[in-house]
Amino acid sequence: MLGDGAILAADRTRSRGSSERCHDFPAAKASEPGKVVFVKTAARGRLSPQPSQYVAILDAPFARIGVRVHEEQVVGIDYLPMSTPTCMSANPLAEEVRKQLVAYLKNPRHPFDLPRGESGTRFQRRVWDAISAVPSGNTRTYGDVAAQLGSAARAVGGACGSNPIPLIVPCHRIVAAGGALGGFMHSRAAFPLDIKRWLLAHEAR
């Protein structure tokens, strides 16, 4: 069960000035143990690793959550190491993300309802829409989603890993067949898989 301290920590991340941005962090290499910054645009290969600007970096029990927005839409949610400093800009959408994160940490059935501006291929968007339809407390396998879309499980896994706004599009709810966890964020490293386990356990309450 999630402790009150974790919820309060997320709730304490407040605005620290009038800036529309807070921190710029460079994308770390996946080979740096304990220092991986999962920047989704870089992971998809469409952009080379570059500094990512966040309007908020929020505290959660499983990671820091970097929030990127563009034109009043959420375009990126990045899971950052727990050592990353939290911050909160004056961006109104950042405050709404913070409120909804706190609500989700208190109640795993709380749905995220935020304006989405993720970019992706037509197939990726079909997969992300299918993922979004999976309710909290439930899972689907890559094969289930593939059968629904008339595709292949490997292709679905690739689209899941390229999801730029996890939590909002809950790709952690897509698992491997036979009860296996599967990958997460194009990785089978400890940090991302621990996040996936935490989220599934939280929603199983």
Side-chain angles (χ1 to χ4, degrees), residues 41 44 46 75 116-128 159 162-165:
T41 50
R44 287 198 298 272
R46 292 211 296 264
V75 298
R116 291 165 42 178
E118 72 275 24
S119 61
T121 67
R122 182 179 178 184
F123 174 73
Q124 286 174 334
R125 288 179 173 276
R126 290 179 66 209
V127 173
W128 299 338
S162 296
N163 169 26
I165 49 172

Side-chain angles (χ1 to χ4, degrees), residues 70-124:
H70 179 66
E71 295 182 352
E72 300 183 356
Q73 292 181 314
V74 180
V75 298
I77 297 289
D78 299 326
Y79 295 128
L80 310 174
M82 295 298 290
S83 59
T84 307
T86 60
C87 71
M88 190 73 186
S89 73
N91 186 289
L93 184 52
E95 173 63 13
E96 184 59 30
V97 174
R98 185 196 66 78
K99 288 180 179 178
Q100 293 196 26
L101 173 63
V102 170
Y104 170 78
L105 293 176
K106 291 179 178 177
N107 175 14
R109 301 295 178 265
H110 180 83
F112 284 92
D113 183 14
L114 295 160
R116 291 165 42 178
E118 72 275 24
S119 61
T121 67
R122 182 179 178 184
F123 174 73
Q124 286 174 334

Side-chain angles (χ1 to χ4, degrees), residues 22 24 40 57 98 100-101 135 137 142 152 161 175 188:
C22 47
D24 291 350
K40 287 293 191 287
I57 297 178
R98 185 196 66 78
Q100 293 196 26
L101 173 63
Y142 298 104
V175 298
R188 293 181 182 272

Side-chain angles (χ1 to χ4, degrees), residues 24-40:
D24 291 350
F25 285 99
K29 296 179 181 179
S31 59
E32 297 182 61
K35 297 182 180 179
V36 179
V37 177
F38 286 95
V39 179
K40 287 293 191 287

Side-chain angles (χ1 to χ4, degrees), residues 149-185:
L149 300 180
S151 182
R154 184 177 295 274
V156 168
C160 288
S162 296
N163 169 26
I165 49 172
L167 274 186
I168 300 174
V169 175
C171 52
H172 60 275
R173 296 174 192 163
I174 309 303
V175 298
L181 193 63
F184 196 47
M185 303 188 296

